[in-house]
Amino acid sequence: MSQVSRNTIQWIRDSFPAIPCGRHFWQVVTWNFMRGLKSSQELKQQKYCAPDSSKTKIRQIVLLMFLAAFSSIACAATYKDFREIERQLNRSSVEAANRFLTDHWETKMAALLREVEACNLRAIRLSVRLLDTTNLEALAAHRYSLEIAMGECPSKVLPAVPISHISEVCAVDAYLEKFPEVEPRQTIDQRISILQKIPTLASVPKIHACIAAYQRERERYSMGGK
């Protein structure tokens, strides 16, 4: 592989990370596209510019536009999946929807879990609706992704979760499984601190239940629990 190709691949990785649909996707696309245009204009203004550099920059801009188009198609497919799951819920039951998801794990369930962890509010609400199930495989997956999201965007997750399920999402086991290098008690303390600073949730009973659940988790880890 040529040095130019390696540089282009690295540029793609730096400029266009795999950002799920629910987390400011188009803002990132627009920002990178405008940055690419600005860079190309700067190249034109330079009196002495290496031809390979100019060609590389043009190649990068074209690739960025292609990736933006491809990703928008992927996002549209994800939202189509959401509608399909919502139809299952509305026409049948939670059990039918979860059975549909577990039967199509690599496509439907994986897409939903990814969007929940990316703080997509529609995905979060959908996953919360699917918690009341006897499908243990689906239940574990929903709890896992909601627990991850709780650490990223509690102001979105907590209002959506019924108080009966608060202790299930106000935990850190999934996060520690995903990031085993972090220290459990420090992670719990950080989450509690964040919760205490969210003004819109300060008077909601759920926040007190969530903090209590985190404190129980902290005590368990202090005693060497798993």
Side-chain angles (χ1 to χ4, degrees):
M1 183 184 295
S2 69
Q3 183 62 41
V4 171
S5 298
R6 281 194 292 269
N7 290 342
T8 299
I9 291 171
Q10 186 60 48
W11 179 85
I12 292 171
R13 290 173 177 169
D14 293 340
S15 300
F16 203 88
I19 298 176
C21 307
R23 182 169 287 184
H24 311 301
F25 170 78
W26 284 112
Q27 290 92 322
V28 175
V29 172
T30 303
W31 183 84
N32 279 287
F33 180 68
M34 294 305 296
R35 191 179 72 171
L37 288 179
K38 182 179 179 181
S39 297
S40 65
Q41 290 169 356
E42 289 173 352
L43 280 174
K44 290 179 180 179
Q45 292 171 359
Q46 291 177 5
K47 186 174 182 180
Y48 301 102
C49 179
D52 288 343
S53 176
S54 179
K55 290 179 181 178
T56 299
K57 185 60 64 176
I58 293 171
R59 187 184 296 114
Q60 290 171 351
I61 294 170
V62 171
L63 283 170
L64 178 58
M65 294 175 69
F66 171 80
L67 286 169
F70 178 82
S71 298
S72 67
I73 293 171
C75 285
T78 296
Y79 288 117
K80 182 180 179 182
D81 288 342
F82 289 173
R83 289 194 296 272
E84 195 169 1
I85 299 165
E86 288 164 349
R87 279 197 299 270
Q88 291 278 348
L89 271 170
N90 296 330
R91 292 179 181 176
S92 187
S93 65
V94 169
E95 298 300 339
N98 275 318
R99 185 166 54 252
F100 169 77
L101 286 168
T102 52
D103 287 346
H104 301 85
W105 191 280
E106 296 299 326
T107 52
K108 311 300 184 184
M109 179 66 93
L112 176 61
L113 301 180
R114 183 172 59 250
E115 292 301 317
V116 171
E117 293 182 22
C119 295
N120 183 315
L121 185 56
R122 183 177 179 181
I124 289 169
R125 289 172 175 168
L126 185 54
S127 190
V128 167
R129 291 179 65 188
L130 295 166
L131 284 173
D132 292 312
T133 180
T134 58
N135 186 326
L136 298 182
E137 186 179 18
L139 179 61
H142 296 312
R143 285 178 176 175
Y144 183 97
S145 60
L146 286 167
E147 183 187 317
I148 296 292
M150 188 63 199
E152 299 293 331
C153 48
S155 60
K156 287 185 177 182
V157 179
L158 205 56
V161 178
I163 198 161
S164 59
H165 288 291
I166 288 294
S167 61
E168 299 166 22
V169 301
C170 295
V172 293
D173 289 343
Y175 188 80
L176 295 175
E177 181 181 328
K178 190 170 184 177
F179 304 102
E181 70 278 4
V182 303
E183 206 282 317
R185 288 170 296 181
Q186 182 179 358
T187 299
I188 292 169
D189 290 342
Q190 289 172 346
R191 291 194 177 197
I192 290 175
S193 177
I194 290 171
L195 285 174
Q196 292 171 333
K197 294 175 182 177
I198 302 177
T200 55
L201 294 177
S203 61
V204 179
K206 291 179 184 179
I207 196 168
H208 302 300
C210 186
I211 289 175
Y214 277 136
Q215 288 172 338
R216 289 192 295 272
E217 285 283 278
R218 195 185 195 288
E219 183 178 352
R220 179 167 66 90
Y221 278 102
S222 297
M223 296 174 65
K226 297 291 184 181

